[in-house]
Amino acid sequence: MDEMRLKLAVQKSGRLTEPSLDLLTRCGLKLSRGKDQLICVGENMPLDVLFVRDDDIPDLVQEDVCDLGLVGLNVLEESRLELAARGHPARFQQVRTLDFGRCRLSLAVPDGVSFEGPSSLRGRRIATTYPFMLARYLREREVNAEIVTLSGAVEIAPRLGRADLICDLVSTGSTLLANHLREVETVLESHAVLIRTPLELPPEKEEWVQRLLMRIEGVQSVRESKYIMLHAPRSALAEIRKLLPGSESPTIIPLEGFPDKVAIHAVCRENVFWETLESLKKAGASALLVLPVEKMLA
Ligand code: ATP
Ligand code: ZN
């Protein structure tokens, strides 16, 4: 492998794959061929993508096989605690919080089982694929419980009699519902993160890391943003400005031939919903136009 090219680890096939590739595309990266290969070469940046299991991503950065990785905080934290338990400090740095892969590691009990806080866990068997995070949670609350470490299918452990409750990832809660489980406590709020090696990189590589970080920031800051244009009577200006969602300082432009009207252009850092447009119209706005924002650089 070319030593001068950055290597970034991405989940090969799973929930993080598509949003990770979408982020990289928005950052301007063009990858060679499909994602069926282990490595895809960046055609317009000195950056190659390695497709691996998400659980392997912290280790790949830890062991300097990859310089960067896109991984869930849940996997990262578990790996950090496991390393600490073996007496090794983690050799990866978390450099960006990303706006996808949202989920939480939660405790869930079978329907009908009561739960009155962490003390209800005393002496119980808890099935999980995150033994280190669960152990920390129990330790911090001074509760003794048995951790049943599984490699998957945690949600069926109570029905099989292998555990009394579970500690697993939840996003919508539909899997819990289907398995007659009730979420009772959050152990970790998770989302995807970008990690990097703490090692000093050659200047050319470091420069590309910084460029990528800046582009990610640009992509994330405009993801929900909209550019809104409208006409408004001068008399309604104050009210209309209040209605524009998440916009700091709109541009106000005089309208040729209409002394009592202005045009307002603003970047709204939140989605603009129909309800907002309707309120704006009611306040006197006309000629409303909402456009997606593609890129933004502060
Ligand atoms: P792999 O084969 O790569 O090990 P996996 O089965 O561990 O795949 P996925 O289910 O695709 O992984 O989840 C990958 C990551 O997506 C999780 O570690 C977590 O960060 C995030 N995620 C978001 N929502 C959920 C959810 N509801 N359940 C599980 N993971 C979720
Ligand atoms: Zn996994």
Side-chain angles (χ1 to χ4, degrees):
M1 274 201 275
D2 185 344
E3 282 309 303
M4 287 327 284
R5 297 181 65 82
L6 283 168
K7 277 160 227 59
L8 164 69
V10 167
Q11 188 185 24
K12 184 176 172 59
S13 140
R15 295 174 204 256
L16 298 179
T17 309
E18 198 217 291
S20 298
L21 291 176
D22 178 62
L23 175 66
L24 295 173
T25 304
R26 285 169 190 267
C27 287
L29 179 68
K30 283 199 174 63
L31 288 176
S32 67
R33 282 177 277 167
K35 59 169 194 196
D36 327 319
Q37 305 154 286
L38 176 64
I39 300 179
C40 271
V41 175
E43 290 177 345
N44 56 347
M45 288 186 204
L47 181 152
D48 300 333
V49 174
L50 261 79
F51 290 103
V52 295
R53 289 202 53 199
D54 68 339
D55 315 70
D56 295 334
I57 293 174
D59 277 353
L60 287 169
V61 174
Q62 173 91 5
E63 289 157 12
D64 303 321
V65 178
C66 291
D67 311 289
L68 302 164
L70 291 170
V71 67
L73 184 63
N74 51 311
V75 168
L76 194 67
E77 275 297 300
E78 185 69 7
S79 163
R80 210 194 300 268
L81 292 174
E82 186 175 354
L83 285 164
R86 288 197 265 126
H88 300 298
R91 284 184 51 236
F92 38 72
Q93 287 172 354
Q94 204 172 308
V95 282
R96 275 291 176 283
T97 291
L98 305 171
D99 57 6
F100 58 88
R102 268 177 223 289
C103 58
R104 50 202 185 273
L105 183 66
S106 286
L107 291 168
V109 299
D111 283 346
V113 171
S114 72
F115 182 87
E116 273 109 41
S119 62
S120 300
L121 301 170
R122 200 155 282 135
R124 298 299 188 85
R125 294 167 305 155
I126 313 174
T128 190
T129 53
Y130 295 89
F132 289 93
M133 263 193 282
L134 177 57
R136 179 178 63 181
Y137 173 90
L138 294 170
R139 202 168 50 241
E140 283 172 355
R141 285 155 189 80
E142 299 178 344
V143 171
N144 270 318
E146 187 189 333
I147 298 174
V148 180
T149 306
L150 301 179
S151 55
V154 169
E155 65 282 0
I156 59 168
R159 257 187 297 156
L160 298 179
R162 300 181 76 182
D164 302 305
L165 67 148
I166 68 165
C167 174
D168 202 10
L169 292 181
V170 184
S171 51
T172 58
S174 55
T175 308
L176 292 185
L177 206 65
N179 288 283
H180 306 287
L181 294 161
R182 178 167 55 95
E183 189 176 354
V184 290
E185 286 262 315
T186 304
V187 174
L188 179 86
E189 291 280 354
S190 187
H191 46 77
V193 293
L194 175 71
I195 56 170
R196 66 163 285 170
T197 167
L199 292 186
E200 195 178 322
L201 296 170
E204 301 81 5
K205 278 176 113 176
E206 187 58 45
E207 192 195 317
W208 271 102
V209 171
Q210 294 310 321
R211 283 176 82 170
L212 190 66
L213 287 176
M214 212 158 72
R215 291 184 187 186
I216 289 176
E217 212 152 273
V219 169
Q220 296 209 129
S221 69
V222 299
R223 213 171 317 241
E224 291 274 278
S225 298
K226 295 283 179 280
Y227 194 77
I228 181 165
M229 301 194 275
L230 53 89
H231 290 177
R234 280 189 187 276
S235 57
L237 214 54
E239 193 186 348
I240 284 176
R241 283 185 63 160
K242 263 190 271 161
L243 288 170
L244 292 172
S247 90
E248 283 116 51
S249 44
T251 308
I252 300 180
I253 311 153
L255 276 176
E256 188 65 30
F258 297 92
D260 52 353
K261 266 192 161 185
V262 289
I264 302 179
H265 291 191
V267 173
C268 294
R269 286 177 181 271
E270 295 163 34
N271 221 331
V272 179
F273 297 102
W274 280 112
E275 287 77 4
T276 311
L277 293 185
E278 285 157 5
S279 312
L280 286 165
K281 203 163 163 54
K282 224 180 249 166
S286 58
L288 292 133
L289 199 59
V290 180
L291 306 168
V293 176
E294 194 182 86
K295 295 185 179 73
M296 200 148 65
L297 216 57

